[in-house]
Amino acid sequence: MGSMPEKPRHGFGSLVTGLQEVCESGITKDLAWRRSQLKGIIRLLTEKEEEMFDVLRDDLGKHRAESYRDEIGALVKSVNHTLRNLERWAAPEKVQAPLVSFPATALVVPEPLGVVLVFSCWNLPLGLALEPLSGAIAAGNAVVVKPSEFAPATAAFLASNLPKYLDPRAVKVILGGPEVGEQLMEHRWDKVLFTGSARTGRIILTKAAKHLTPVALELGSKCPCIIDRLDSKRDTQIAVNRIFGGKWSLCAGQACLAIDYILVEEEFAPALIEVLKSTVKRFTTTPDCMARILNEKHFKRLSNYLKDRKVAASVVHGGSVNPKTLTIEPTILLNPPLDSDIMTEEIFGPILPIITVKKIEDSMKFVRSKPKPLAIYAFTRNEKLKSRIINETSSGSVTFNDAVVQYVVEGLPFGGVGQSGSGQYHGKYSFELFSNKKAVFKRSFLIEFMFRYPPWDNGKIGMLRHVFNTNYVLLLLGLIGLRR
Amino acid sequence: MATEMEAEICDALYADVGKPETEAHVHEISLVKSSCLFALKNLKKWMKPKKVHARLMTFPSTARITKEPLGVVLVISAWNYPLLLSLDPVIGAIAAGNAVVLKPSEVAPATSSLLAELLPRYVDSTCIKVVEGGVSETTALLELKWDKIFYTGNSKVGRMVMASATKHLTPVVLELGGKCPVVVDSNINLHVTAKRIAAGKWGCNNGQACIAPDFIITTESFAPKLLEALKKVLEKFYGKDPLLSEDLSRVVTPNHFNRLLDLMDDEMVSDKIVFGGQRDEQKLKIAPTIFLDVPLDSAMMKEEIFGPLLPIITVEKIHESFGLINSMTKPLAAYLFTRDSKLQKQFESTISAGGMILNDTSVHLTNPHLPFGGVGESGTGSYHGRFTFDAFSHGKAVLHRGFGGEAKARYPPYSSAKLKILKGVLAGKLGAHIQAILGFPRGK
């Protein structure tokens, strides 16, 4: 139950204590310092844009447009939003104080947690490192970023550039694989944000429990896309455009927010598939319009899904894989077996199963039969169906008639629930995730009520009842009668 | 239940911890009632989806945050405020729409069985259940999959709860303890200060409360005055022989009694007693006991005391107290008595704690507008009022888009023209938005 902090062990002991000292010195708490760091991130994103495009292409084969839209541009927007609102978020918030405590002031004062650790993921290696970093800095913390070793060019880029654009005393990058991650977790952190798989998330949590380190987990899930019968051709085309954007255009489907599978009514499925096929053809005229698969391990995993005989039989478009270039063409399946791996695991790739249901309302039951996803997408004009989806399913978020764009709406929290994670961030939520909201209650010596103190008697209990029932009239009468 | 069963509840609380009737009313029954009433009054407001500014980027669209229940939650309560710490979280969990399992502390058996017996009579027992038991029952419960676990207790078990929660990736709220420091300046109303410290320490279950003042820091020169004031106040509150006073809780179990005796009789501190020290093993009672300048490496200064022992640590200048507090783990609450506004400001910005009060102790927990919870070793997550509702809810982001505003620039095949428009859109440039919506670039 000790109250004195434990002595740090293992290789990163001096890293952690050094950062704690930096925090204690008050540097990171200073608003001007925070602003300068956030501006440093903007400068990095502007000045090193070309280099960032290069490393993202090296690591994932992403086209610059995708890199800009999903990572660099989204970051610029987000950090500017933070800069505009920093003072407001950091300001103490006055709250109501009960009349009986008059004169008193009650405040909620946000303060930094201290030293935080951010684990980034390989699929949006820049975004998933810098977005949490900006939030942690905005909240006044010192930060260690551990980029994913699976995106080595980006990791190296961060390691060499963050010290140039940000204050290297308070912002550090640590490179390495899982052993490094585990070693880092041997220490106590004031907060950890982990983006990645549930398996690794559990390892992080287990280590965190030893030190009571609070952890926010951004995990994966099978994000369903419910497509209602759309009567107009234009609506269908737009829906399919957006589905493409939410699947193949997003790191070839390797994203936690990507559409994993589709649910559609039996009768509408053929029409949908036709439009999907033609749109895929139109959008993928050049090979660089879709990212490649991260590495051989994931390529094998995805190819194996298609090797399952019954799954292979359900392919209605695509299916070809190229182990040399680590690319898989956009592949559409119609009703693969529900117990196949591809329908029980998060796909994280460019394969899109379509599951048909008799009535679109049945899709909600299907979604509920699986763990709560990070996002649910639904294309429909039916307001009743929309209400039902919101009320009868649970997910990190719900987006109607589009996919993934909720990521850039700064006012909306981003995060999962249940198996898809816990803790939310983006915009103000990032600031809060990395803050301690300290309750502050200021009283004066002026007014003192004797009934607070022992020795107790029934008279005092009576007065206390009035206080708790906020019956100020009776309280006042009692005071006049009882005043000593 | 809290109204009709008042007498039974007071009896159970007396049986469990020897809690005086007033404390039972003020600290437990009344707080449970006000918590319920506050939730009832505000429920509609809390449940209402919150509209969020959707901005130009996703135009046309509307964005909202909808609160939904997490599902089935587990509340593990503590023994010192066995009614309040059971029902307060349960109230919030119900308000947020969850099914709840409550595991009251076995160290307060009378209250535990009272809750097991009464709760099903007053609430829907298909959704709200009480499971009694000790370590093995708690361990078995922790093996199961919950949507949230809310634990109040000590950090050792807190670690075990967090470790168990890992299996199912269950989020947790941990309301733990710590050493709550009280810094006492000389620029104060001494009599009122002494009363408020005494009320927060010995008037709160005889020091067995997570937010009870644990130790005092004051200047060498002021300590004697403070000590005299405390002695006077204690005699007024509890009489010349505190062991005979009905207004002091007893120590909860022989284990804790012996633990406190060990702290008191430790040769590092036993010669530092300046007041009190009386104990009654039969009744498990220890009188308010004050120590002056115990060594900082004594057991009393390393562990959370959770009892009627109060060390006073002296420093030369009052500002030195901040460094001392910061050398320890972050407490659940920190208290400062002073009229000096500069000192107040410094305290507020230098000390990190779950909560802090200026010129009083403990009372912040009765304000439902303030979040109550720890930071660092004192816990994670907070509750009370709306914060309990939020702790047991998921704020689901909902974005409604229409089929209008289709931007070709979003889709491949990519081109530098498209990239230019995207850049403009992301930078919030209206011109770029218009181009995007109008379907630029033309051609492909």
Side-chain angles (χ1 to χ4, degrees), chain A residues 1-5 29 49 63-66 68-69 73-74 77 81 84 95-98 106-109 111 113 188 190 198 202 205-206 208-214 217 219 230 234-235 238 241-242 244 249 282-283 285 289 372 379 381 386 390 393-403 405-406 408-413 416-417 419 422 424 429 436-445 447-448 450 452-456 461 464-465 468, chain B residues 6 20-22 25-26 30-31 34 50 52-55 57-58 63-66 68-70 145 147 154-155 158-159 162-163 166-169 171 174 176 179 188-189 192-193 195-196 199 236-238 247 302-304 327-330 337-339 344 348-349 351-361 363-364 367 369-371 374-377 380 394-406 410-414 419 422-423 426:
Chain A
M1 223 187 343
S3 285
M4 304 300 269
K29 214 172 170 184
E49 202 187 76
H63 191 283
R64 334 149 56 94
E66 208 187 301
Y68 189 82
R69 188 195 63 204
K77 186 167 181 289
H81 175 75
R84 276 195 302 269
V95 301
Q96 231 183 308
L107 297 164
V108 177
V109 179
E111 57 177 29
L113 285 168
R188 194 185 176 279
D190 294 300
R202 281 193 176 85
L205 262 188
T206 309
K210 282 200 214 103
H211 299 286
L212 290 174
T213 294
L217 294 172
L219 308 176
L230 296 167
R234 183 180 171 273
D235 280 1
I238 290 178
N241 289 347
R242 294 174 180 183
F244 187 100
S249 183
R282 259 186 311 121
F283 284 2
T285 48
C289 285
K372 298 178 185 181
F379 287 85
R381 281 186 184 272
K386 287 185 193 176
I390 294 175
T393 64
S394 177
S395 56
S397 63
V398 181
T399 301
F400 292 110
N401 301 329
D402 210 328
V405 290
Q406 73 272 27
V408 290
V409 179
E410 291 110 3
L412 283 176
V417 64
Q419 300 294 300
S422 62
Q424 299 175 312
Y429 296 93
N436 172 36
K437 288 183 129 181
K438 185 165 69 182
V440 179
F441 197 40
K442 301 187 195 189
R443 294 215 64 206
S444 107
F445 292 111
I447 296 179
E448 202 32 2
M450 288 316 294
R452 267 184 80 170
Y453 307 109
W456 305 119
I461 295 182
L464 287 165
R465 279 184 201 277
F468 281 94
Chain B
E6 231 181 70
E21 202 188 331
T22 308
H25 275 291
V26 175
S30 301
L31 285 177
S34 12
K50 190 175 107 173
V52 154
H53 196 32
R55 312 209 77 142
M57 214 189 126
T58 47
R64 267 199 288 276
I65 301 169
T66 299
E68 56 179 34
L70 289 170
K145 182 175 182 303
D147 295 300
N154 67 59
S155 54
R159 283 172 167 78
M162 216 178 137
T166 299
K167 207 180 348 163
H168 299 287
L169 296 171
L174 300 173
L176 310 176
K179 292 181 79 60
I188 53 171
N189 177 323
V192 172
T193 300
K195 279 194 290 182
R196 291 179 180 180
K236 194 155 173 220
F237 285 5
Y238 304 113
D247 295 334
K302 291 216 281 247
E303 303 169 14
E304 183 178 5
S327 72
M328 299 173 151
T329 57
K330 297 179 186 180
F337 284 86
T338 185
R339 285 197 184 98
Q344 288 182 359
E348 208 181 294
S349 58
I351 307 290
S352 179
M356 44 179 43
I357 307 186
L358 294 165
N359 299 329
D360 211 331
T361 59
V363 289
H364 64 311
N367 184 345
H369 300 280
L370 283 173
V375 60
E377 280 288 313
T380 176
H394 166 58
K396 182 162 73 180
V398 181
L399 181 66
H400 290 257
R401 289 214 69 202
F403 287 97
E406 183 60 343
R410 283 172 71 171
Y411 308 110
Y414 300 123
L419 181 53
L422 280 177
K423 281 192 173 185
L426 280 161

Side-chain angles (χ1 to χ4, degrees), chain A residues 69-120:
Chain A
R69 188 195 63 204
D70 299 340
E71 302 207 52
I72 301 166
L75 280 167
V76 169
K77 186 167 181 289
S78 164
V79 178
N80 277 326
H81 175 75
T82 302
L83 275 165
R84 276 195 302 269
N85 290 282
L86 184 60
E87 260 86 12
R88 197 160 53 91
W89 294 346
E93 182 200 333
K94 222 173 181 180
V95 301
Q96 231 183 308
L99 199 54
V100 72
S101 58
F102 182 86
T105 323
L107 297 164
V108 177
V109 179
E111 57 177 29
L113 285 168
V115 183
V116 309
L117 174 60
V118 172
F119 285 96
S120 173

Side-chain angles (χ1 to χ4, degrees), chain B residues 89-406:
Chain B
V90 168
I91 290 168
I94 295 172
N98 301 280
V100 193
V101 168
L102 167 65
K103 213 301 280 169
S105 172
E106 70 279 17
V107 183
T111 313
S112 174
S113 50
L114 190 66
L115 283 168
E117 189 205 318
L118 292 183
L119 214 48
R121 282 200 246 156
Y122 286 86
V123 298
D124 182 351
S125 56
T126 59
C127 307
I128 301 159
K129 298 201 184 277
V130 180
V131 172
E132 291 193 82
V135 173
S136 47
E137 283 80 5
T138 310
T139 311
L141 282 170
L142 287 170
E143 292 289 307
L144 305 170
K145 182 175 182 303
W146 303 94
D147 295 300
K148 191 126 191 182
I149 299 176
F150 187 104
Y151 169 77
T152 306
N154 67 59
S155 54
K156 188 165 130 239
V157 177
R159 283 172 167 78
M160 290 194 262
V161 170
M162 216 178 137
S164 302
T166 299
K167 207 180 348 163
H168 299 287
L169 296 171
T170 303
V172 301
V173 171
L174 300 173
E175 296 278 329
L176 310 176
K179 292 181 79 60
C180 299
V182 186
V183 178
V184 183
D185 189 23
S186 47
N187 180 1
I188 53 171
N189 177 323
L190 183 52
H191 185 53
V192 172
T193 300
K195 279 194 290 182
R196 291 179 180 180
I197 291 176
K201 175 76 168 184
W202 297 286
C204 276
N205 220 13
N206 206 7
Q208 301 165 103
C210 50
I211 37 148
D214 188 280
F215 67 102
I216 291 180
I217 311 177
T218 190
T219 51
E220 276 167 7
S221 47
F222 195 67
K225 292 204 192 88
L226 178 60
L227 185 55
E228 276 318 300
L230 281 169
K231 286 182 186 175
K232 244 200 243 157
V233 158
L234 281 171
E235 199 181 303
K236 194 155 173 220
F237 285 5
Y238 304 113
K240 282 215 157 31
D241 188 356
L243 291 180
L244 298 175
S245 168
E246 283 293 299
D247 295 334
L248 267 184
S249 298
R250 64 154 214 271
V251 177
V252 68
T253 56
N255 262 349
H256 277 278
F257 185 84
N258 290 327
R259 178 183 66 80
L260 289 164
L261 284 193
D262 284 345
L263 286 182
M264 268 168 79
D265 299 336
D266 176 359
E267 55 182 21
M268 277 180 112
V269 309
S270 51
D271 59 338
K272 310 273 192 236
I273 284 190
V274 290
F275 182 82
Q278 306 96 307
R279 74 286 299 268
D280 181 334
E281 194 161 350
Q282 286 284 28
K283 296 198 199 144
L284 288 183
K285 276 199 148 173
I286 297 178
T289 304
I290 305 177
F291 297 78
L292 187 57
D293 275 328
V294 299
L296 293 177
D297 58 350
S298 58
M300 189 178 289
M301 283 309 292
K302 291 216 281 247
E303 303 169 14
E304 183 178 5
I305 295 170
F306 224 70
L309 317 177
L310 181 70
I312 298 178
I313 306 293
T314 59
V315 291
E316 220 183 308
K317 289 206 172 63
I318 201 66
H319 293 89
E320 293 167 38
S321 57
F322 297 168
L324 178 58
I325 297 173
N326 280 336
S327 72
M328 299 173 151
T329 57
K330 297 179 186 180
L332 188 54
Y335 307 112
L336 169 66
F337 284 86
T338 185
R339 285 197 184 98
D340 179 348
S341 57
K342 222 169 135 207
L343 192 65
Q344 288 182 359
K345 271 206 179 73
Q346 235 193 318
F347 188 72
E348 208 181 294
S349 58
T350 324
I351 307 290
S352 179
M356 44 179 43
I357 307 186
L358 294 165
N359 299 329
D360 211 331
T361 59
S362 316
V363 289
H364 64 311
L365 78 86
T366 61
N367 184 345
H369 300 280
L370 283 173
F372 181 79
V375 60
E377 280 288 313
S378 51
T380 176
S382 54
Y383 74 126
H384 282 187
R386 183 188 196 136
F387 300 98
T388 325
F389 178 88
D390 286 340
F392 288 108
S393 302
H394 166 58
K396 182 162 73 180
V398 181
L399 181 66
H400 290 257
R401 289 214 69 202
F403 287 97
E406 183 60 343

